[in-house]
Amino acid sequence: QVQLIESGGGLVQAGGSLRLSCAASGGTISNFDMGWFRQAPGKERAFVAHINWSGATTSYTDSVKGRFTISRDNTENRVYLQMNSLKPEDTAVYYCNAASYYATSMPRGAEYWGQGTQVTVSS
């Protein structure tokens, strides 16, 4: 059973940066595609970014392209989300996901979720 713990969230002014980290335990993330999702107040959880098991392929939702970067370190069993040029509309709880694979930006097969970390961007 893979357990995921997110960290790195907080309060930042618009234009600032944050780096989210997702630490895995109970299993190796090298077997999984990894993703970040976010849920804003009153909205459904939405896809942000995905990275395949080897790190060779990444994808992003349009609103974060050019500002966010997903990366992974399989030796450290961690996944990261570097967020630059943050906007108030990026405010949400950010969740880490591990899945057997992704299709159309959605996790498929066996999947695991973290508890989330709050990101708040002030204007």
Side-chain angles (χ1 to χ4, degrees), residues 2-9 19-36 50-56 58 69-82 95-98 117:
V2 175
Q3 296 177 332
L4 304 174
I5 299 177
E6 302 93 338
S7 62
R19 189 192 195 204
L20 304 185
S21 178
C22 173
S25 61
T28 174
I29 66 167
S30 60
N31 296 327
F32 296 95
D33 281 17
M34 302 295 294
W36 287 95
H50 155 258
I51 186 167
N52 80 320
W53 67 272
S54 69
T58 59
T69 303
I70 188 171
S71 61
R72 65 190 297 159
D73 185 337
N74 287 346
T75 62
E76 294 290 329
N77 232 19
R78 285 181 178 268
V79 177
Y80 303 96
L81 186 68
Q82 177 67 43
Y95 296 91
C96 178
N97 170 270
T117 185

